[in-house]
Amino acid sequence: MAGQSDPHLSIFSPSEGMFGPVLSVLQVEFVAEDEIVEIVPNIRMDALNMICGDFGPFFPQIPTKVPLWLAVALKKRSKCTIRTPDWMTVDRLTQVLEAERESPREFQPLPFHYIEISKLLFDHARDDISDAYLVRSLIEDIRDVRFHKVETGLETISGRTHAVKLKNLSAMEVNIVRPFMVRTLQAFYKHDSAQMIQQADNIGSRATLVTDRGPRRDLRRR
């Protein structure tokens, strides 16, 4: 149920459990800041010409799309409100949570940076999010369920595993899972390679014992 996750465990931290981080939270957030969101300006402003592209012009109460970093910058200066993405509504998140719980081996499609986007919006535009407390609780529960699936799935990895398919993982989930999975598969391959070398040596030794029968004798013709 929404809101029942551990309040002392930060849902947005990548250094959890046995996995350990590859990138810091700030590094993953930095990449997520290029995601496009919609804002509603409350001022008139000419277009902004950036290296990454042109944004604007901006007119009061006319929605426009900008990168998340620019939306946050304008929000901090009280020059806009940020529209909550469609997937961040209570109804949509409730559907996702139910589907996640009903499908123990499947991950529901969510934005690749859903954790980072929601964190940035809660940090800088909480007043623009309807039912912010419930939305945050639902996102926490979704992430808890998805992480449990990941851990359960990794327990099935064996020496015969050549690839692992985890469809619809998010950036933070990939960031946490990747190092553990790589080390595990490398350990299996190293173990299997040692066994194969030993088996090859044993076969070679047996072949030598079979073929090495001393000097050949000429066959006598009758």
Side-chain angles (χ1 to χ4, degrees):
M1 182 177 179
Q4 290 185 345
S5 55
D6 187 349
H8 301 292
L9 179 62
S10 175
I11 188 166
F12 301 114
S13 172
S15 53
E16 269 183 44
M18 59 184 173
F19 301 123
V22 175
L23 301 175
S24 69
V25 175
L26 293 178
Q27 288 173 312
V28 181
E29 283 184 5
F30 179 78
V31 177
E33 287 178 349
D34 285 333
E35 294 292 312
I36 300 299
V37 296
E38 192 171 64
I39 65 170
V40 179
N42 53 29
I43 61 167
R44 182 185 179 92
M45 187 167 59
D46 294 335
L48 300 175
N49 306 117
M50 307 289 185
I51 296 177
C52 58
D54 300 333
F55 305 102
F58 303 92
F59 301 96
Q61 306 307 313
I62 304 297
T64 186
K65 294 182 178 181
V66 298
L68 182 54
W69 61 265
L70 179 55
V72 170
L74 294 174
K75 175 67 178 181
K76 287 181 177 179
R77 292 166 175 77
S78 301
K79 294 184 177 180
C80 76
T81 58
I82 301 178
R83 283 192 170 178
T84 305
D86 293 338
W87 59 268
M88 273 188 67
T89 63
V90 172
D91 290 342
R92 174 58 181 155
L93 291 173
T94 301
Q95 293 174 1
V96 171
L97 179 59
E98 293 175 353
E100 291 285 0
R101 287 172 170 167
E102 293 173 358
S103 305
R105 296 187 178 182
E106 296 181 2
F107 296 86
Q108 299 303 307
L110 282 169
F112 187 57
H113 291 287
Y114 82 94
I115 293 177
E116 303 85 76
I117 292 173
S118 58
K119 179 183 184 304
L120 289 167
L121 292 180
F122 277 113
D123 287 347
H124 304 290
R126 187 182 183 90
D127 57 322
D128 293 337
I129 303 173
S130 299
D131 299 314
Y133 176 79
L134 184 54
V135 168
R136 184 184 182 94
S137 297
L138 286 166
I139 293 175
E140 289 180 352
D141 286 348
I142 289 171
R143 207 207 72 160
D144 288 344
V145 172
R146 289 168 68 98
F147 272 42
H148 177 71
K149 287 184 185 181
V150 170
E151 293 178 358
T152 303
L154 292 179
E155 291 176 356
T156 64
I157 296 178
S158 68
R160 297 181 179 273
T161 303
H162 297 286
V164 178
K165 183 177 181 180
L166 297 173
K167 187 177 179 181
N168 294 328
L169 284 188
S170 71
M172 192 69 75
E173 292 159 355
V174 171
N175 182 49
I176 293 173
V177 169
R178 181 170 49 200
F180 173 79
M181 187 173 296
V182 170
R183 289 195 300 269
T184 301
L185 294 178
Q186 285 176 342
F188 282 135
Y189 293 152
K190 182 178 180 180
H191 177 71
D192 289 345
S193 298
Q195 281 189 332
M196 292 175 63
I197 293 172
Q198 184 176 1
Q199 290 173 0
D201 290 341
N202 292 337
I203 293 173
S205 299
R206 289 198 298 269
T208 301
L209 292 175
V210 171
T211 57
D212 189 5
R213 297 178 179 177
R216 294 184 179 181
R217 293 180 296 175
D218 294 333
L219 296 177
R220 295 180 181 180
R221 294 183 179 181
R222 293 183 179 180

